[in-house]
Amino acid sequence: MELRDELFEHLPFTVFSVAAGMAVLGFMTYGAMAKDRELVERGSRSLFHVFHPLHMLFSATATTAMFWRHERRWLKAIVIGVIGSLGVCGLSDIFLPYVSGFLLGVRMQLHVCIIEHPQLILPYVLVGLAVGFILSPTTRKGTIFSHSAHVVVSSMASLLYLVSYGLHDWVSVGGLVLIYMVLAVMLPCCTSDIVFPLLLISEPADKAKMRAAFSEQR
């Protein structure tokens, strides 16, 4: 019940974030196609390598901060922050857009940044972990901000991957893109920032505190 409630709570914001990302992408596509159609792919690919690492940063921050506020175990918090960012962000930004492209009838290219560009990704994750440790004791708003930024940046990263690595003519299937990207953003982001830390907290009392914190943030 709680997971379902959390997903419904986040659905409107996720839809608005993806829609805003599509609007930005639409302006980019229009501007690029006015000059050279190949600019859409090249420009989107470059921007993906900006938004995807930023997604890692905000995800590591939100996941680490949420866990660290309720359980003070350094190693466990680091492991959760790393898995919650590298694993779940890869799912949201790469794997789900990759599958979505195939469902839309496009032959997608698989590009896993942590394998091909570890020097690009890992510094963002490390900074995100550090910020997560700093934020959590000082302000509850820190987790709200990092999660909100996480959703917005994830929306752009997922859309940019879809366009960069296969679905260049995305406008004609924009409705399906909206649906697929909402799912690609909402499910992993909620899992990473909320469900994942909650499941791995050891003490039942701490889990109760975290649930209360979620209720206050709504």
Side-chain angles (χ1 to χ4, degrees), residues 51-130:
F51 280 93
H52 181 55
L54 286 175
H55 184 193
M56 297 283 187
L57 185 150
F58 286 119
S59 178
T61 298
T63 306
T64 305
M66 187 62 72
F67 179 84
W68 186 247
R69 279 182 54 208
H70 299 279
E71 185 171 330
R72 298 302 180 92
R73 297 186 181 181
W74 284 92
L75 182 58
K76 191 173 180 180
I78 291 172
V79 170
I80 289 173
V82 169
I83 295 175
S85 56
L86 291 179
V88 180
C89 289
L91 181 68
S92 176
D93 294 356
I94 297 172
F95 181 72
L96 291 179
Y98 178 81
V99 172
S100 298
F102 272 106
L103 293 176
L104 291 169
V106 176
R107 187 172 183 177
M108 298 289 292
Q109 176 185 348
L110 184 61
H111 176 85
V112 183
C113 283
I114 187 58
I115 295 175
E116 301 194 32
H117 314 294
Q119 75 283 358
L120 172 66
I121 300 299
L122 292 178
Y124 285 85
V125 175
L126 294 176
V127 171
L129 291 172

Side-chain angles (χ1 to χ4, degrees), residues 66 139-149 216-218:
M66 187 62 72
T139 174
R140 180 172 296 164
K141 293 181 180 179
T143 54
I144 301 174
F145 169 77
S146 57
H147 177 67
S148 300
E216 292 177 12
Q217 289 176 11
R218 290 176 179 173

Side-chain angles (χ1 to χ4, degrees), residues 18-217:
V18 173
M22 291 177 69
V24 172
L25 190 60
F27 282 112
M28 289 171 48
T29 302
Y30 174 79
M33 290 180 66
K35 295 182 179 180
D36 183 354
R37 190 179 182 87
E38 291 184 2
L39 288 176
V40 177
E41 178 184 352
R42 297 207 310 267
S44 298
R45 191 166 296 192
S46 295
L47 283 174
F48 171 76
H49 287 95
V50 173
F51 280 93
H52 181 55
L54 286 175
H55 184 193
M56 297 283 187
L57 185 150
F58 286 119
S59 178
T61 298
T63 306
T64 305
M66 187 62 72
F67 179 84
W68 186 247
R69 279 182 54 208
H70 299 279
E71 185 171 330
R72 298 302 180 92
R73 297 186 181 181
W74 284 92
L75 182 58
K76 191 173 180 180
I78 291 172
V79 170
I80 289 173
V82 169
I83 295 175
S85 56
L86 291 179
V88 180
C89 289
L91 181 68
S92 176
D93 294 356
I94 297 172
F95 181 72
L96 291 179
Y98 178 81
V99 172
S100 298
F102 272 106
L103 293 176
L104 291 169
V106 176
R107 187 172 183 177
M108 298 289 292
Q109 176 185 348
L110 184 61
H111 176 85
V112 183
C113 283
I114 187 58
I115 295 175
E116 301 194 32
H117 314 294
Q119 75 283 358
L120 172 66
I121 300 299
L122 292 178
Y124 285 85
V125 175
L126 294 176
V127 171
L129 291 172
V131 174
F133 283 119
I134 294 169
L135 272 182
S136 55
T138 57
T139 174
R140 180 172 296 164
K141 293 181 180 179
T143 54
I144 301 174
F145 169 77
S146 57
H147 177 67
S148 300
H150 179 185
V151 173
V152 172
V153 173
S154 175
S155 300
M156 284 302 304
S158 300
L159 285 165
L160 288 167
Y161 184 91
L162 189 65
V163 174
S164 301
Y165 294 99
L167 188 64
H168 310 312
D169 186 17
W170 66 274
V171 177
S172 60
V173 289
L176 290 174
V177 169
L178 174 66
I179 293 172
Y180 288 145
M181 292 303 97
V182 166
L183 294 175
V185 171
M186 184 176 67
L187 296 178
C189 286
C190 288
T191 299
S192 173
D193 293 357
I194 299 172
V195 180
F196 190 48
L198 177 62
L199 290 176
L200 294 177
I201 286 179
S202 302
E203 298 297 328
D206 291 329
K207 292 185 178 182
K209 290 179 183 178
M210 182 176 275
R211 292 189 185 100
F214 292 152
S215 299
E216 292 177 12
Q217 289 176 11

